[in-house]
Amino acid sequence: MKATSLDEIRQSTKFQPSIWGDYFLAYHSDNTEISIAEQEELERQKEMVRKLVAQNQEDLVHKLELFDAIQRLGVLYHFEKEIDEFLQNIHNNYVMHNSKDSDLRTIALRFRLLRQQGYNVPCDVFSKFIDNEGNFTKSIEDDVEGMQNLYEAAHLGQHGEEILDRAIEFCSSRLQMKSAVNSLSKHVTEALRMPIRKTLTRLGARKFISLYGEDVKHNEILLNFAKLDFNIVQKMHQRELSDVTRWWKAIDVVNIMPYARDRIVECYFWIVGVYFEPQYSKSRTKLTKITALASIIDDTYEYATLDELQLLTDAIQSWDVNNALEDSPPHIKMCYKTLLSTYAEIEEEMEKEGASYQVQYAKEEMKKLCGAYFEEAKWLYNSYIPTFEEYMKVSFVSSGYIMMSTSSLVGMGNHLVSKDDFDWITSEPLIVRASLVICRLMDDLVGDEYEQKPSSVHCYMKQYGVSEGEARDELRRQVKNAWKDMNEECLEPRSASMPILMRIFNLACVISLLYGDDDCYSDPNKCKDWVNLVLVEKVTI
């Protein structure tokens, strides 16, 4: 069959307009200023929490609960050193195998916190809850809190840890069954919807603040600090998004590229999921701009003619600032012009920090991304269905996640990131490849409505002669395995520092949220509530 006509391709997908418009332009330096009084109050409350953390609490469970709450409330970045020292002590001095008197909840909580910190503690601590037939004992079925904690812990599993695989299946089925007849706690409901391991820190914190406040055992000092910190950081995010929105408006996407997704707010929300902390402000802004550009370039490669795309691809590969593509259509010219000017701006900033080399890595990955987009455009115009392996090789790159992983390190600070780290991340280590699998396959599993080009589902069906349902089941299995790869890569001994690994891990978590059940990026209404919670609504103090 010959290629679909250009007009049919151009009319087949019409993305919804932005639902935010100029909304975030209203946030400016005056109404997002963090006052001296707010800063002083934050420091005062922070010291109160620090004293809680430093207390010699003999009740281990209490201390574990406190540190778990600190993480889930999104304020861990204030106390990383203290919590790392505590967990290191737990790991070094506490023999988990001798915890026969501990209950399921405590064992699971300790296991999860240690694995989150990178300690490769054994999963056979849960074997005491297995009967002679290899099943979980009936006695834990009435322990809703214990099952919930086991369910959360099991999401940090590695390959070959069958007990954790069974724990997820057992706990989710029992908890869902109980929810049909009982009013389970909101904690359990939220866990079944999105386990802590895959939750975006900022969105999770916004939800957990409310849940924690309803817990009779909550610590008022910690809760008040978390609320104040959330609102102060939110002001910073609002100001950044206002600046990025102003940059986006200047590109005039709506008029010059009406075919493209106008999603600057959703892009920023995406990157807040990668790093929300104040110290990453510069990196967050840079990566938002780069991601937004990749989004409109992606849409351009599904809209323009092959001749137009050949010109654009050649220009990007040469990266010639003297080539203005003057004879090209406005959408091609604007793509290229904005790409070069944005990277030039970032490079100028990084030169001041003595790290302009970082932008070269980011630039090379953008070139590869556009090359992959062009390869897919040729598939589309020639009605070509590649083999599954051929598809994955190209679409790994076109997912954008190698480019985003590399670019996420730009501007994080010379004390955190070195040239060796850029060499490592661009060599596509296992954690990056696993992130690519999660991104590409989860996108394909829900994105058919918006895509004209071949997807992994179609390629797998054709190559292996299986039904769509069988193909989808296989791809979901591959996604599950990729999460285990991610978990393994975050355990000691690690191939990179935790701040770098967590950028890659968080990128996968964003995909898990935005493409879990639907394409919530292409349809902005489906992520509106999340944007509201994180970037609009203050926490009531």
Side-chain angles (χ1 to χ4, degrees):
M1 185 177 86
K2 269 307 193 188
T4 309
S5 74
L6 177 62
D7 285 341
E8 286 177 324
I9 291 171
R10 287 183 165 176
Q11 293 171 17
S12 60
T13 301
K14 290 189 179 296
F15 295 112
Q16 294 184 43
S18 170
I19 61 176
W20 297 102
D22 296 341
Y23 178 82
F24 284 96
L25 289 177
Y27 294 101
H28 44 74
S29 56
D30 291 338
N31 59 18
T32 60
E33 183 181 3
I34 300 165
S35 68
I36 294 175
E38 283 177 309
Q39 292 173 344
E40 290 177 346
E41 179 60 18
L42 185 72
E43 283 302 312
R44 187 186 73 82
Q45 292 192 25
K46 179 178 174 178
E47 286 310 306
M48 292 169 66
V49 176
R50 196 183 299 280
K51 288 177 182 176
L52 286 175
V53 170
Q55 281 179 358
N56 264 328
Q57 178 60 254
E58 291 184 6
D59 185 348
L60 175 65
V61 177
H62 175 84
K63 199 91 169 184
L64 289 170
E65 289 173 343
L66 176 67
F67 287 173
D68 183 42
I70 286 172
Q71 290 189 8
R72 297 189 65 187
L73 289 167
V75 293
L76 170 64
Y77 71 99
H78 288 289
F79 311 104
E80 286 182 339
K81 182 174 179 288
E82 293 89 339
I83 291 181
D84 183 47
E85 288 176 356
F86 169 75
L87 291 175
Q88 188 174 38
N89 183 57
I90 292 289
H91 178 253
N92 292 343
N93 301 313
Y94 195 89
V95 182
M96 298 185 71
H97 289 282
N98 292 338
S99 53
K100 293 178 181 177
D101 297 329
S102 298
D103 60 9
L104 175 59
R105 174 177 168 273
T106 302
I107 293 173
L109 177 58
R110 181 175 57 240
F111 177 88
R112 175 169 61 81
L113 291 178
L114 287 170
R115 281 234 173 154
Q116 283 175 185
Q117 202 70 7
Y119 295 114
N120 195 1
V121 290
C123 66
D124 59 4
V125 291
F126 298 111
S127 59
K128 63 182 284 188
F129 304 104
I130 299 292
D131 62 23
N132 293 331
E133 296 177 0
N135 301 314
F136 280 95
T137 58
K138 293 282 186 182
S139 61
I140 71 171
E141 291 192 19
D142 293 326
D143 182 4
V144 172
E145 204 172 1
M147 283 197 295
Q148 180 202 334
N149 276 275
L150 175 57
Y151 177 77
E152 295 283 16
H155 281 89
L156 285 100
Q158 307 176 66
H159 293 285
E161 295 185 322
E162 293 181 12
I163 193 170
L164 297 183
D165 292 337
R166 280 181 281 150
I168 292 177
E169 184 180 342
F170 174 85
C171 294
S172 60
S173 64
R174 297 306 187 278
L175 290 171
Q176 285 167 3
M177 280 166 44
K178 285 183 177 294
S179 69
V181 293
N182 298 318
S183 176
L184 284 181
S185 74
K186 295 176 184 175
H187 289 275
V188 175
T189 304
E190 193 60 39
L192 290 172
R193 186 181 297 123
M194 182 67 73
I196 294 168
R197 184 59 168 169
K198 298 177 184 177
T199 296
L200 306 189
T201 304
R202 193 69 176 163
L203 180 60
R206 183 64 175 82
K207 292 180 177 182
F208 188 68
I209 284 172
S210 300
L211 294 176
Y212 186 65
E214 295 171 4
D215 189 335
V216 293
K217 296 187 296 183
H218 79 262
N219 185 292
E220 196 70 15
I221 294 172
L222 175 58
L223 179 62
N224 289 337
F225 173 69
K227 288 179 177 179
L228 180 59
D229 186 71
F230 187 95
N231 288 343
I232 286 176
V233 173
Q234 186 185 68
K235 281 187 178 182
M236 175 184 287
H237 291 165
Q238 289 167 341
R239 184 168 64 250
E240 290 171 2
L241 182 50
S242 178
D243 293 341
V244 170
T245 301
R246 199 167 291 107
W247 166 83
W248 184 251
K249 297 289 287 186
I251 299 174
D252 200 13
V253 171
V254 173
N255 293 312
I256 297 178
M257 290 170 267
Y259 56 86
R261 287 166 288 189
D262 183 4
R263 299 289 181 269
I264 192 61
V265 172
E266 290 75 15
C267 275
Y268 183 78
F269 173 80
W270 193 314
I271 306 311
V272 167
V274 179
Y275 28 30
F276 74 89
E277 299 89 340
Q279 66 265 33
Y280 298 128
S281 177
K282 290 181 179 179
S283 292
R284 192 161 45 243
T285 300
K286 291 180 180 68
L287 188 56
T288 299
K289 290 180 178 180
I290 289 172
T291 304
L293 285 176
S295 179
I296 59 175
I297 291 172
D298 183 12
D299 293 337
T300 299
Y301 272 85
E302 289 197 37
Y303 174 82
T305 67
L306 270 185
D307 287 342
E308 292 169 352
L309 294 178
Q310 184 74 66
L311 283 173
L312 179 60
T313 305
D314 291 345
I316 291 172
Q317 298 308 316
S318 66
W319 210 277
D320 182 0
V321 294
N322 296 315
N323 183 1
L325 293 180
E326 288 297 347
D327 297 329
S328 300
H331 54 278
I332 297 293
K333 194 172 3 180
M334 181 55 76
C335 268
Y336 186 62
K337 174 187 172 185
T338 308
L339 187 67
L340 264 60
S341 63
T342 301
Y343 275 83
E345 172 193 308
I346 294 172
E347 193 164 15
E348 187 177 337
E349 290 179 30
M350 294 310 299
E351 277 179 2
K352 296 174 184 175
E353 299 178 21
S356 59
Y357 76 89
Q358 297 182 359
V359 188
Q360 298 308 313
Y361 283 93
K363 200 183 292 183
E364 286 305 312
E365 293 307 321
M366 179 61 84
K367 289 181 183 179
K368 293 177 188 175
L369 175 63
C370 295
Y373 285 157
F374 188 50
E375 192 65 30
E376 291 181 338
K378 289 188 285 187
W379 290 347
L380 175 62
Y381 274 83
N382 292 312
S383 298
Y384 175 66
I385 305 295
T387 65
F388 181 71
E389 289 74 20
E390 184 182 3
Y391 170 83
M392 292 300 283
K393 182 178 179 181
V394 174
S395 67
F396 265 5
V397 182
S398 72
S399 71
Y401 258 36
I402 304 177
M403 183 277 293
M404 290 177 70
S405 295
T406 303
S407 302
S408 72
L409 307 188
V410 175
M412 277 181 61
N414 293 331
H415 64 294
L416 286 177
V417 181
S418 68
K419 188 176 184 300
D420 287 345
D421 291 317
F422 279 93
D423 288 333
W424 170 80
I425 204 166
T426 53
S427 72
E428 296 181 31
L430 180 58
I431 190 170
V432 171
R433 294 199 303 275
S435 179
L436 297 176
V437 169
I438 293 166
C439 176
R440 181 73 276 158
L441 298 187
M442 289 193 74
D443 185 345
D444 284 356
L445 284 166
V446 300
D448 287 354
E449 177 185 350
Y450 302 99
E451 299 282 1
Q452 294 300 310
K453 56 194 175 189
S455 80
S456 55
V457 178
H458 305 130
C459 295
Y460 195 89
M461 287 170 64
K462 181 184 176 186
Q463 182 170 345
Y464 295 102
V466 297
S467 68
E468 182 175 348
E470 290 172 319
R472 288 179 176 277
D473 286 344
E474 168 58 22
L475 300 185
R476 291 188 189 99
R477 187 190 66 79
Q478 291 188 23
V479 169
K480 285 183 180 179
N481 284 334
W483 279 112
K484 292 179 181 179
D485 288 336
M486 299 275 281
N487 286 337
E488 289 183 0
E489 288 292 282
C490 290
L491 295 174
E492 295 181 342
R494 297 184 289 260
S495 54
S497 68
M498 196 62 99
I500 291 172
L501 293 174
M502 289 315 296
R503 303 293 75 81
I504 304 166
F505 196 94
N506 289 345
L507 277 164
C509 290
V510 178
I511 286 293
S512 188
L513 177 73
L514 291 180
Y515 293 88
D517 298 311
D518 212 330
D519 185 344
C520 299
Y521 176 72
S522 294
D523 185 345
N525 289 292
K526 291 174 180 172
C527 63
K528 181 180 179 181
D529 290 344
W530 302 328
V531 172
N532 262 318
L533 281 174
V534 172
L535 299 171
V536 179
E537 298 173 6
K538 286 178 61 176
V539 174
T540 303
I541 298 179

